[in-house]
Amino acid sequence: MKKIYLCAISNIRSGACNEDCRFCTQSVKWGADINRYRQKDLITIVNEAKLAKKNRATGFCLVTSGRGLDGKTLEYVCSAAKAVLKEVDISLIACNGTADKESLKALKKAGVKIYNHNLETSREYYPKICSTHTWDERFETCQNVKSAGLQLCCGGIFGMGESEGDIKSMISSLKDLKPNGIPLNFFIENEKLPLKATHDREFALSIVKRFANEFKEAIIMLAGGRERVFGESWIDALKAGANSIVIGDYLTTKGERPDRDLEILLKEGFEIANEC
């Protein structure tokens, strides 16, 4: 029986980002109609963690918009991590942009187990989707994560106009990093964003198969865009090699109801993992 890992996301700072990533509605540059706020209160975050645990998530991710993990953000995320772990037995993931080794060590001390920082795409293609920071900064942060003793969760977004060569290049970079988990996101269009999606179901399924084959020891996670690109047939991506999904809502888009996901998983004979 195949074991599936469930993960939930808490967007604890939304839309407060001055970067110009062409795929992201949280950038103030594009003016997307999303809910924007500086800080979610700790009680709300703890309650979301409790709900994630109830829905059988083993991982709970604290996400902040913005370029990186500065002093104020670090203090806030550490406070949130401690508040959650005081009441909920769950593996904490942090996703707070570029970060130095000392800041990552502080997160670990606060109880964070995993740091998520995606390469997004290849080094070669990245300048076409972001100009305010470099791909190399992202790669360096991923190296810092491992040096700080945290587990690394690192993947990307597909269907942004990247080439076959870009996908190969990204896979090569990920092999250098050897992440514990690899989130596979499929670009979600928004009328305010300058990019248009270049994926379909068959392309997405081929990406899942490819990454599952290339990274046999990693957790392969179906993340953003799962519902859009696969629709009702998302379970086929698990059968093709993925072994993790994000349950509930994403950062700025609605996800499927967790109870419905669980019902489908159990009906299909999958085992729900109890720990990361």
Side-chain angles (χ1 to χ4, degrees):
M1 186 183 296
K2 186 173 181 178
K3 188 177 291 186
I4 303 298
Y5 298 85
L6 306 182
C7 180
I9 294 172
S10 179
N11 193 9
I12 65 176
R13 174 189 293 157
S14 177
C17 187
N18 292 315
E19 304 301 289
D20 69 353
C21 303
R22 295 164 67 85
F23 54 82
C24 186
T25 55
Q26 298 209 72
S27 169
V28 298
K29 178 178 176 63
W30 309 120
D33 183 18
I34 64 168
N35 190 15
R36 299 179 188 272
Y37 46 86
R38 293 295 303 179
Q39 288 189 354
K40 185 178 285 184
D41 66 82
L42 297 186
I43 293 174
T44 300
I45 296 170
V46 171
N47 286 337
E48 289 180 359
K50 289 178 178 178
L51 181 60
K53 180 73 173 182
K54 181 181 178 181
N55 288 324
R56 302 190 65 181
T58 57
F60 184 68
C61 189
L62 304 170
V63 187
T64 53
S65 63
R67 179 169 181 159
L69 192 59
D70 58 25
K72 288 184 178 180
T73 304
L74 176 61
E75 183 180 357
Y76 173 49
V77 177
C78 286
S79 296
K82 291 173 183 176
V84 168
L85 292 177
K86 189 176 180 180
E87 299 193 43
V88 189
D89 180 19
I90 198 165
S91 292
L92 278 188
I93 308 158
C95 181
N96 315 119
T98 54
D100 59 37
K101 198 181 303 182
E102 293 309 309
S103 297
L104 292 163
K105 286 181 178 178
L107 286 181
K108 184 180 179 183
K109 187 175 180 180
V112 172
K113 180 179 178 181
I114 304 162
Y115 197 79
N116 174 215
H117 193 60
N118 293 331
L119 296 179
E120 307 301 13
T121 189
S122 70
R123 187 176 191 271
E124 297 80 7
Y125 191 61
Y126 197 79
K128 295 181 180 179
I129 59 171
C130 180
S131 69
T132 48
H133 62 270
T134 67
W135 182 94
D136 294 289
E137 290 179 56
R138 306 189 76 88
F139 191 85
E140 183 180 6
T141 291
C142 294
Q143 292 176 313
N144 291 341
V145 170
K146 303 199 80 173
S147 295
L150 290 165
Q151 291 184 32
L152 174 63
C153 186
C154 180
I157 307 174
F158 300 90
M160 298 190 293
E162 71 279 358
S163 68
E164 167 62 19
D166 291 316
I167 297 171
K168 287 181 178 178
S169 176
M170 181 184 171
I171 288 173
S172 177
S173 298
L174 286 172
K175 285 187 173 181
D176 289 338
L177 290 170
K178 297 179 176 63
N180 305 88
I182 303 177
L184 304 179
N185 298 276
F186 299 97
F187 176 60
I188 300 174
E189 288 187 4
N190 182 286
E191 61 181 0
K192 294 294 182 70
L193 294 179
L195 292 179
K196 297 299 179 184
T198 58
H199 55 60
D200 57 23
R201 182 186 179 280
E202 292 309 309
F203 169 80
L205 199 60
S206 72
I207 289 293
V208 172
K209 290 178 180 177
R210 190 168 182 175
F211 274 75
N213 183 61
E214 294 279 3
F215 300 94
K216 296 183 185 300
E217 302 302 316
I219 292 175
I220 305 297
M221 176 185 288
L222 279 181
R226 166 170 65 103
E227 297 84 356
R228 302 285 183 92
V229 75
F230 288 110
E232 295 295 319
S233 65
W234 60 266
I235 203 77
D236 291 344
L238 298 187
K239 295 176 180 178
N243 57 354
S244 176
I245 64 170
V246 174
I247 58 170
D249 296 335
Y250 299 96
L251 295 178
T252 62
T253 57
K254 295 290 290 183
E256 185 55 83
R257 282 172 38 194
D259 62 327
R260 191 164 184 269
D261 282 340
L262 281 168
E263 181 183 349
I264 292 170
L265 287 168
L266 294 174
K267 181 181 177 181
E268 290 287 340
F270 291 103
E271 177 186 354
I272 309 301
N274 293 318
E275 60 180 357
C276 290

